[in-house]
Structure formats: C-alpha cells, structure tokens
Amino acid sequence: MSNFQAGVLAGALRFAFGLPGPLRRLIAGNPIYLDGQYLHPEAQLLLKLAHLSGTDWRTKTASESRLDLELSSKLVSGPKITGVGSRDLTIGEFAGRLYTPRLLPTGSPLLIFYHGGGWVTGGLETHDNLCRFLAKEAGVRVLAADYRLAPEHPFPAAVEDAAEVLRYAIAKAEDLGIDANRIALGGDSAGGNLAAVTAHNAEVDIAFLLLFYPGVDASVRRRSREIFGNGFFLTDEKMDWFLDQYSAGGQDRHDPRLSIMLAEDLSNLPPTYIATAGYDPLRDEGEAFAERLAAEGVPVVLRRHEGLFHGFANVLGVGGIFREAVSEAVGALRTGLALANSAQDVAETA
C-alpha cells in the first residue's frame, strides 16, 4: 500500500470518528460485553474499521507482520506531533533516536523507551509519534532504540540490545543532554518486557518504570488469554506465534530474562506504573506482575483501562479515549520523575 493510500485510509478513519454517535454505533455494531465490562465504543469502532479495511494484524510471515504494523501505525498514530526535535543515533549495531522537546534545558531526565511488536515487529517509525507525545507531555528527553528482531535474532538478542541502550545513555549522558542519575525505562508490550528485564538486571539505579500492557510471563496461560484471545487486535494465535519466533520454539520461556515474573526477587525494581487494557490477552499477567511488585515492597500503581484493547498507546490520532489513557501514564511518569528528583536532591545535600 502506498503512502497516498495509507493517507486516504487515515482520513477515512478520522471522518468515521467524527460522525455523530448513533452513526458510529451503527458502523461498530451492537455493544460487546465480556468479563464484566463493555468494549469502549471508540475501541469497537476502530476494530470494526480495521477489519473492514483489511488492516487487521494477522499471523503471517515476519516480513508481512512488520508491514502490517507499519501500516496500522500510519493509520492511527495521527499527524506528527510538533514541538519536539529528533536526532538519529547509532547505538552499537542498531539505530536509535533522541527526542527533545523545544526549549528543554540540558540535564533533563531521560526516558528510554523500548517499542513493542512481539520482539518480531515494530521499530523507530511505528512508535515515533508515541515517543514524541511522551517527550512533549512529560517534558523529558526520550531515547528510542531499534533493537534486533526475531526470528533473525532470537532471544536473548533483544535483551542484550536493551541493556546496551542503557549503557549507551549513561556513557553519552553529556552528549544527550541528560542527567545520568535520572533515567526512567519504559515500553509497550514486548517493549515493556524489555524495560522491566533491563531494570531488573541494571547495575545502576533506575528512577522509574513505565509499562504499557507488558508481556511478563510466557510460562503460563492466564484466563485473559482465553477470554480475549480473538477479535481484539492481539490474538492468542498471534501471541503464540510471536513467542515461537522469539524463544526458539519455547525452550527459553522459563528464563527470567523472558518471563520476568519467574525471577526470584523483584524488590530491586524502581517505582512502577503499569497500564493494562481490559480487552487484552496479556491483561492478567500484567496485573499479576503489579501484585507481585507490591508484595515485594516496590511502589507500584496499576491502572486497568476497561474497554480498551492491546496497543492503545499507539492510537493517538483517532478517538479521545486512547489519548486520554496515554496522558494518564504521562502524569504518572512526571510524578515519578519529580519524586526521584527530590530524592536525588536530598541525597546530594546529605
């Protein structure tokens, strides 16, 4: 599909979301109610339009799946967010990108953001607008990295690359304009997995952890995999396929570098914000992770966005409910970094 065709589809989506409520409901179909919650009307409309346009994220080859995600991100991410500059970088053998809000002074905190996509798809472009949004709204620099993908580079390649990004940020702190003592890690889905694993294994203190619907336990199938495994963007079949590509057919699924829930001790993790989606196959493992952190004394806030589906953080261009959910996470990030800054200031004056 050409950029022109993608632009036409994106315009059609925005037009559909601008229709009166009764017309949007007519297109979306009858309300869907599962597990004590309604699928949000905006989420239902988007899923219906994706199905009608043939842009569902189906299980295909790795290259086809990558193209699917690139297309869907173009359709829903919205116009490029202004007021944020970007600079492309080289981090080891892969690309990175630094986002800097206009007029932000040097010495700011940094959010390292690892993109989602099942360790197989996704990249700098698919998450460009999300990173711009996080940088602008949180008032921080954001460093994104294009880590190696499976199946060409299976586990633990992505884990190794994620750790390299953190080492790079610390070593290049002056060039990046950041305070190396105030680094937060974040990510969505597989990127949330990498952020949590990197924080757990880090040799430095991480200021904050920002996780959107993370994959944290590949060793067991929880109830949400059964309830929401078909029809809500990320399917049960797709999740199994991703794990097969990444973990060499399943032999590594009990490794804590993949299933962080299986780590013996998680008490070293920083204050954490976890956003889950009500209609997400990964919902229950993300929420179990939050419970585990709380039990081990980690300050954690869990926010379930009822009625939304996996991937909502990238849907900034259509429907207000998706942007509202990401904005809430931004507020948590700002608060977490402010508290980390205060703690750092106290430590420096002690």
Side-chain angles (χ1 to χ4, degrees), residues 8-327:
V8 170
L9 272 177
L13 279 175
R14 289 192 293 272
F15 173 78
F17 273 84
L19 292 172
L23 287 178
R24 293 200 305 269
R25 170 53 69 191
L26 183 63
I27 297 172
N30 293 327
I32 294 175
Y33 185 81
L34 281 176
D35 198 37
Q37 59 179 323
Y38 282 100
L39 182 62
H40 193 281
E42 291 182 359
Q44 186 175 347
L45 177 61
L46 183 57
L47 289 170
K48 183 61 173 291
L49 292 172
H51 178 70
L52 292 174
S53 64
T55 56
D56 314 60
W57 204 22
R58 301 185 180 95
T59 303
K60 301 179 181 178
T61 65
S63 60
E64 289 175 320
S65 292
R66 289 165 189 163
L67 288 174
D68 279 353
L69 186 58
E70 290 171 11
L71 172 59
S72 65
S73 68
K74 288 180 181 179
L75 295 178
V76 301
S77 62
K80 180 174 289 188
I81 292 171
T82 60
V84 180
S86 64
R87 175 160 60 104
D88 288 339
L89 307 167
T90 299
I91 304 173
E93 298 182 358
F94 49 92
R97 184 173 293 163
L98 179 69
Y99 298 88
T100 304
R102 184 180 299 143
L103 303 180
L104 183 69
T106 57
S108 74
L110 175 73
L111 170 66
I112 297 176
F113 194 84
Y114 303 102
H115 69 79
W119 306 279
V120 178
T121 71
L124 295 180
E125 298 306 323
T126 60
H127 287 65
D128 180 74
N129 234 23
L130 174 57
C131 288
R132 291 177 183 276
F133 186 87
L134 294 171
K136 182 176 182 178
E137 298 302 321
V140 300
R141 286 172 169 82
V142 173
L143 176 61
D146 221 1
Y147 56 84
R148 291 173 294 170
L149 298 176
E152 297 89 344
H153 303 283
F155 174 86
V159 175
E160 295 167 353
D161 291 351
E164 184 173 354
V165 178
L166 176 59
R167 291 193 295 269
Y168 173 92
I170 295 170
K172 300 288 187 179
E174 184 175 354
D175 178 61
L176 298 175
I178 60 108
D179 181 350
N181 295 313
R182 297 169 182 180
I183 295 177
L185 304 183
D188 63 312
S189 193
N193 168 276
L194 294 174
V197 170
T198 303
H200 183 251
N201 295 327
E203 297 179 356
V204 298
D205 290 335
I206 302 300
F208 193 74
L209 199 53
L210 179 71
L211 307 179
F212 293 100
Y213 34 82
V216 293
D217 190 358
S219 70
V220 64
R221 298 173 62 86
R222 289 179 169 80
R223 179 170 169 268
S224 59
R225 285 281 299 268
E226 306 299 331
I227 300 174
F228 308 110
N230 188 42
F232 306 107
F233 184 62
L234 177 63
T235 64
D236 185 57
E237 178 188 13
K238 191 77 173 182
M239 194 64 216
D240 283 338
W241 182 82
F242 279 138
L243 287 167
D244 285 343
Q245 306 305 301
Y246 183 52
S247 65
Q251 64 186 21
D252 302 310
R253 294 190 186 184
H254 289 78
D255 190 315
R257 293 173 299 168
L258 172 54
S259 296
I260 182 98
M261 272 285 287
L262 303 186
E264 291 185 6
D265 183 8
L266 294 174
S267 63
N268 71 322
L269 286 179
T272 301
Y273 177 88
I274 301 176
T276 62
Y279 275 70
D280 184 359
L282 299 187
R283 183 194 70 188
D284 288 357
E285 64 187 77
E287 296 181 358
F289 187 59
E291 292 175 5
R292 170 91 187 273
L293 294 185
E296 297 196 20
V298 177
V300 59
V301 172
L302 170 66
R303 173 66 160 101
R304 177 194 290 187
H305 293 280
E306 290 195 354
L308 297 190
F309 54 79
H310 188 93
F312 67 75
N314 285 88
V315 189
L316 295 172
V318 294
I321 189 64
F322 307 106
R323 186 176 287 251
E324 289 172 11
V326 182
S327 294

